[in-house]
Amino acid sequence: MATLLNHPLSILIAASSLAVLFAHAALLKAGDRDLLIHHLAGYGIPAGIRIGIAYAVITLEGLTATALLSPWRDSGAFLAATLLGIYALAMGLQLVQHRAIDCGCGGNALPVSWVLVGRNVLLMALAWIASQTAEMQELMWVDFWVVIAAVLLMVVLYSAIHQVLMQQAMLRQRLFSGSL
């Protein structure tokens, strides 16, 4: 098991998957900074620093995506784990305080939940895999196709889980509003 987790393909798949996730998140947030600032307000960030925090989040997510695909992959993995941990902690704090807010994950509205906190913890484990060192042997062309296929599978799986969570939240809202 230990050799599978620090195999060059596992490391490349983990790093590439996280890079796609963070690049997507940064682009969504950069595309609608006002929505990001609104989400930061929901988390209780003081008005005077929301714009600065918004720019920092977008920049750090973009930097994380770039670093994960560079020779500084271990720094990118550390940044990824740190951001994911901060996001999980912020969501957990909202849940403990019984506050129902949008997670701010990008895309369609999705209320914070313990499932999202758990998702971030699993993504932190993926960042740990991406941070591993291994002898990066000479990769063959088929290895790159394996990485591309695995990353595409991760994107589809992540999107499918996100869709299920959105549908579950909409159904819950309908049930509690009596409009079903």
Side-chain angles (χ1 to χ4, degrees):
M1 180 76 144
T3 56
L4 180 62
L5 294 179
N6 69 349
H7 188 277
L9 279 178
S10 299
I11 294 168
L12 285 173
I13 290 167
S16 299
S17 297
L18 286 169
V20 168
L21 176 75
F22 276 97
H24 182 255
L27 289 171
L28 282 175
K29 290 171 183 158
D32 195 349
R33 280 183 302 239
D34 292 338
L35 181 61
L36 174 57
I37 291 167
H38 174 75
H39 288 145
L40 291 172
Y43 279 98
I45 303 296
I49 61 171
R50 282 184 208 144
I51 293 173
I53 296 286
Y55 281 109
V57 165
I58 294 166
T59 302
L60 286 171
E61 287 183 349
L63 183 63
T64 299
T66 304
L68 282 163
L69 298 176
S70 76
W72 301 285
R73 176 181 35 82
D74 54 341
S75 297
F78 176 77
L79 269 172
T82 301
L83 288 171
L84 290 163
I86 291 168
Y87 299 160
L89 187 63
M91 287 188 286
L93 184 59
Q94 300 307 309
L95 290 167
V96 168
Q97 295 175 347
H98 303 289
R99 297 185 66 217
I101 63 168
D102 181 18
C103 72
C105 303
N108 296 331
L110 185 62
V112 295
S113 68
W114 290 112
V115 173
L116 292 177
V117 173
R119 177 202 65 187
N120 278 22
V121 171
L122 288 174
L123 289 171
M124 288 171 67
L126 196 62
W128 177 78
I129 293 171
S131 74
Q132 299 302 298
T133 56
E135 287 186 33
M136 288 301 193
Q137 67 214 28
E138 188 77 24
L139 296 176
M140 299 182 341
W141 66 270
V142 73
D143 294 328
F144 291 104
W145 286 111
V146 168
V147 171
I148 290 169
V151 169
L152 288 174
L153 181 62
M154 296 281 262
V155 167
V156 168
L157 182 62
Y158 185 89
S159 298
I161 291 170
H162 195 78
Q163 258 325 99
V164 167
L165 291 174
M166 283 188 340
Q167 295 300 320
Q168 182 183 36
M170 287 189 325
L171 181 60
R172 189 176 296 125
Q173 184 180 16
R174 286 184 189 164
L175 284 172
F176 289 121
S177 69
S179 65
L180 195 76

